[in-house]
Amino acid sequence: MDHVFIVNPVSGSGRYTKVLTIIQDYFSDREDSFEIRFTEYVGHATKIAAEYSSEGTVLYSVGGDGTSHEIVNGLCDGVLLAIIPVGSGNDFWRMINYRGSLERIVIDTIEGKDVLIDVGLANGVRYLNCANIGLDALVNKGANEFRFKWFPRNLVYALFALKCVVTKETIDFSYEHEGEVVEHTALLASFMNGQYYGGGFRSAPLASMTDGLIDICIVKDVSRRRIISLLPKYFKGAHLDLDIVSFMQVSSFRISSASDLVFGLDGEISFASVIDVEVLPKAVSLRVPNKILIK
């Protein structure tokens, strides 16, 4: 079996160097082949992933959510994905919920099992974890442009969340599902395959990566005071029963607006006035530690 480690050297705070040592020690007395590839620019991981088409090859994302996002968009049929979380946010990894040391994560993932998971598709682009518009996307945009990498990711997100609360920009859009169209003026909307984003905000506490559904959470426009009281509940995932929240689980839908919306896919920013979203059920084989139960 071939093991290919795609390493983003600018992700996180340099923890990937420890991963390299673990990999080299692990394979020093084993017959399985391994390869280490470093990304050099945005989008490079997608191109690297597309080079590997042999069934059973495992591509390890050694980075954060952005690196995994790029890899899944270059992943060929029959090739497996694995996650080694050394990024700043690692929100997709929270769904795997494995709390071992970095060494145990690497080794137990290499020796792990393969499970089929859903992925989202937005305007033809795959996403593993989350898509969002409104305040969420603006916060992601600001956090991505934040240059002080030593600053904790969850605090960066909170900082820009507070900034967006002050400016309080709303979005007007239409939500269309099975012929029904609903108009919304909202602060934010998230379309989740996983449960978390933004360094631990639990936007979709009921989300599963194996149920064939996207969890949609739309937060209506409210006063600044109420936004501030909402944030702790939103972080903990205790917001779904609030009167300002619309929640639904569907397999496909369309979002449209009179002007371009800023929308994020696994933290990567795009712009569009029409966003078609669907779930691709059990589209990716993910290698995880044997003790993990994927929901």
Side-chain angles (χ1 to χ4, degrees), residues 13-268:
S13 55
R15 294 178 68 216
Y16 75 91
T17 57
K18 185 175 181 180
V19 174
L20 300 183
T21 301
I22 296 168
I23 293 167
Q24 290 162 349
D25 288 346
Y26 178 85
F27 285 103
S28 63
D29 59 354
R30 287 173 169 80
E31 294 184 359
D32 282 2
S33 64
F34 78 98
E35 187 177 358
I36 296 172
R37 301 284 302 272
F38 290 93
T39 61
E40 299 174 3
Y41 50 84
V42 174
H44 194 195
T46 299
K47 293 184 177 180
I48 294 173
E51 295 176 16
Y52 298 88
S53 58
S54 298
E55 188 169 348
T57 298
V58 187
L59 302 186
Y60 297 80
S61 172
V62 184
D65 295 320
T67 307
S68 302
H69 174 79
E70 289 189 10
I71 292 173
V72 79
N73 277 287
L75 201 65
C76 296
D77 291 343
V79 176
L80 288 74
L81 173 68
I83 309 294
I84 307 298
V86 294
S88 51
N90 303 315
D91 286 298
F92 181 71
W93 179 255
R94 297 174 196 272
M95 291 293 291
I96 297 175
N97 194 28
Y98 186 78
R99 302 183 183 278
S101 66
L102 187 56
E103 181 177 13
R104 288 270 35 110
I105 288 172
V106 174
I107 294 173
D108 290 351
T109 300
I110 294 171
E111 298 178 349
K113 63 183 179 181
D114 305 327
V115 296
L116 289 171
I117 64 166
D118 307 335
V119 296
L121 188 73
N123 287 359
V125 179
R126 287 181 168 191
Y127 67 94
L128 279 169
N129 189 47
C130 71
N132 46 34
I133 58 176
L135 185 148
D136 291 333
L138 291 173
V139 171
N140 276 335
K141 184 174 182 293
N144 288 350
E145 294 170 353
F146 192 73
R147 295 297 177 232
F148 299 99
K149 299 298 184 182
W150 50 266
F151 205 77
R153 177 69 176 182
N154 58 337
L155 295 182
V156 172
Y157 193 90
L159 176 67
F160 280 93
L162 289 174
K163 179 181 178 181
C164 288
V165 166
V166 173
T167 57
K168 204 170 84 69
E169 297 181 35
T170 59
I171 48 173
D172 295 312
F173 64 92
S174 300
Y175 165 81
E176 182 178 348
H177 172 63
E178 295 183 346
E180 181 182 2
V181 179
V182 180
E183 303 291 335
H184 287 279
T185 296
L187 286 171
L188 59 90
S190 62
F191 319 121
M192 305 293 293
N193 187 43
Q195 295 186 9
Y196 303 88
Y197 67 81
F201 280 78
R202 199 177 185 189
S203 173
L206 303 182
S208 163
M209 296 188 294
T210 60
D211 64 356
L213 298 170
I214 297 295
D215 284 37
I216 302 172
C217 176
I218 300 172
V219 179
K220 301 174 186 177
D221 182 23
V222 293
S223 67
R224 289 181 178 84
R225 173 179 287 184
R226 188 148 191 206
I227 296 173
I228 293 172
S229 67
L230 168 68
L231 283 175
K233 293 183 179 180
Y234 195 66
F235 184 84
K236 296 177 182 178
H239 58 285
L240 296 186
D241 60 347
L242 298 178
D243 62 328
I244 59 172
V245 173
S246 297
F247 170 76
M248 58 215 81
Q249 295 175 308
V250 298
S251 59
S252 65
F253 58 95
R254 167 173 284 189
I255 298 294
S256 57
S257 176
S259 57
D260 274 357
L261 296 166
V262 180
F263 78 100
L265 294 175
D266 293 331
E268 305 303 307

